[in-house]
Amino acid sequence: FVRGELPAAHSHAEAMLALAEHRGDPALRLTGLNATGMTLMMMGQLASARTNLEAALDIHAALEDALPPTRFVQDPEVEACLSLALVTWLVGEPRQARSLAERAVAVAVANRHPISEVSGLYGAAMLHALAGEFDTVYALTERLYGVIRDQEVPQQHSGFAWLHGRALVALGRVEEGMEEMRAAKRTALELGFRFSLGDFHVHYAEVCREGGQHAEADASIDAGLALARDSGEQLMLSAMLRLQAQRQAERGDLPAATRTFDRAIETARAQGAVFHELAALATAQRMGCTNADPDRLARLLEHYDGDASPVIVAARVLLRQ
């Protein structure tokens, strides 16, 4: 899973569940459900991921007194909550997503389990980055760095570091932030840590595009699409296609952009990823492509009614123009 070998990870997770069934071991079933749900999430199979992760939380609630957090490298409640937070955000349940992200961090802190706290903060930062809430991303990743420093957690600066760098860019520290993002990617590749590398490519392509570094943006998009093809990591595929379509439109190739927006929208719909479909429709409308469907965009925005995140607010403003 961490190496991004998702078909193999899924096979191992299913074997864990089969072994748990054979042994009648609910604790092993809990970890197998988490492993399966997390892997399916990264493969873009959100409904199945949710089923497994919710079942894991049900088992954890029944076994909580018999499962001290030190029995696991990662606290299983934290693990399930942070993954389910991402899933529920993408399928259009923002209140549930925010609540789960807060719960993941709070449980890790209450259990005095620093490795789980690092994971919980990282997962929460991923959610807030999707929402465009980079002040919060910065605060969470600064706190994460503090846990690593104060608790001497043996954690290299990889995934969460590119989110910290992305937040720095949004806060105006552009060169510093972009260099941190690049360094985090190098570290991840050196470690063989490919979990959520697609997330890096989306964020890095966005900051490159915003900064006028179009060739580097295009290269990051191409790398992200290749990763999705070769590893099975599909969670951010629609977002990468959306960025590719946006770049095609900016170059004046509207027919190609229209075709790519169609792929982004179709991918999001197949996954049940309301948020990704919403983002693709909003960008298509902004770029003047024929994929624009204000009525559909308005219906999708109803899922995020009351949510004040920058990405959602920008889509609402676009509809009123």
Side-chain angles (χ1 to χ4, degrees):
F1 178 77
V2 172
R3 287 177 57 83
E5 299 166 353
L6 296 179
H10 186 240
S11 177
H12 287 305
E14 288 190 319
M16 291 168 69
L17 286 174
L19 189 59
E21 183 75 17
H22 176 71
R23 292 181 177 176
D25 184 342
L28 181 56
R29 179 165 173 75
L30 167 61
T31 55
L33 287 166
N34 268 355
T36 303
M38 292 167 64
T39 303
L40 289 171
M41 175 188 73
M42 295 307 298
M43 296 171 77
Q45 299 180 36
L46 300 181
S48 297
R50 182 175 192 169
T51 297
N52 282 271
L53 294 166
E54 288 179 340
L57 286 177
D58 287 343
I59 291 177
H60 185 274
L63 296 178
E64 186 171 11
D65 292 341
L67 294 176
T70 51
R71 181 174 177 180
F72 301 91
V73 175
Q74 296 277 4
D75 181 273
E77 183 180 6
V78 173
E79 200 169 52
C81 283
L82 67 88
S83 299
L84 196 54
L86 292 171
V87 170
T88 51
W89 176 265
L90 290 174
V91 302
E93 298 180 24
R95 293 178 184 83
Q96 175 79 341
R98 292 179 186 278
S99 175
L100 284 162
E102 292 173 3
R103 175 179 166 186
V105 176
V107 167
V109 171
N111 288 337
R112 304 172 68 91
H113 201 248
I115 293 177
S116 296
E117 189 174 354
V118 166
S119 296
L121 289 166
Y122 180 17
M126 290 177 70
L127 188 155
H128 288 284
L130 285 170
E133 297 168 336
F134 291 109
D135 286 344
T136 305
V137 173
Y138 178 76
L140 289 167
T141 49
E142 280 284 299
R143 181 176 166 188
L144 193 159
Y145 276 130
V147 174
I148 290 172
R149 180 183 61 251
D150 297 341
Q151 302 294 331
E152 299 182 356
V153 176
Q155 177 81 25
Q156 296 290 337
H157 296 176
S158 52
F160 58 84
W162 67 60
L163 291 176
H164 185 268
R166 177 67 183 91
L168 288 178
V169 172
L171 297 173
R173 295 157 63 179
V174 177
E175 290 303 320
E176 180 185 357
M178 292 186 72
E179 179 50 40
E180 185 175 18
M181 294 181 79
R182 289 188 289 263
K185 180 196 170 189
R186 288 193 298 270
T187 299
L189 294 176
E190 288 166 3
L191 292 170
F193 184 97
R194 289 173 174 79
F195 164 75
S196 195
L197 198 56
D199 188 59
F200 164 82
H201 286 299
V202 168
H203 287 300
Y204 189 68
E206 284 180 337
V207 298
C208 288
R209 180 192 154 274
E210 290 167 2
Q213 300 180 37
H214 295 142
E216 199 160 354
D218 292 341
S220 195
I221 292 166
D222 290 344
L225 292 171
L227 177 77
R229 181 189 65 237
D230 297 338
S231 73
E233 184 184 320
Q234 305 284 303
L235 187 65
M236 299 298 285
L237 176 57
S238 177
M240 282 183 280
L241 290 167
R242 168 177 56 82
L243 284 168
Q244 185 181 55
Q246 187 172 10
R247 288 288 301 121
Q248 290 166 336
E250 289 168 343
R251 291 196 296 268
D253 191 349
L254 288 181
T258 299
R259 291 191 297 272
T260 307
F261 273 126
D262 278 339
R263 289 181 62 202
I265 293 164
E266 289 164 5
T267 297
R269 286 183 182 172
Q271 294 179 355
V274 171
F275 179 77
H276 284 324
E277 184 184 353
L278 184 159
L281 287 168
T283 306
Q285 185 164 330
R286 194 175 295 113
M287 303 309 296
C289 288
T290 56
N291 319 76
D293 184 346
D295 291 337
R296 174 72 176 172
L297 179 57
R299 289 195 298 275
L300 295 178
L301 279 169
E302 290 175 2
H303 289 271
Y304 296 85
D305 185 41
D307 192 86
S309 58
V311 170
I312 299 302
V313 169
R316 289 197 195 104
V317 169
L318 184 66
L319 273 183
R320 293 197 292 267
Q321 291 176 348

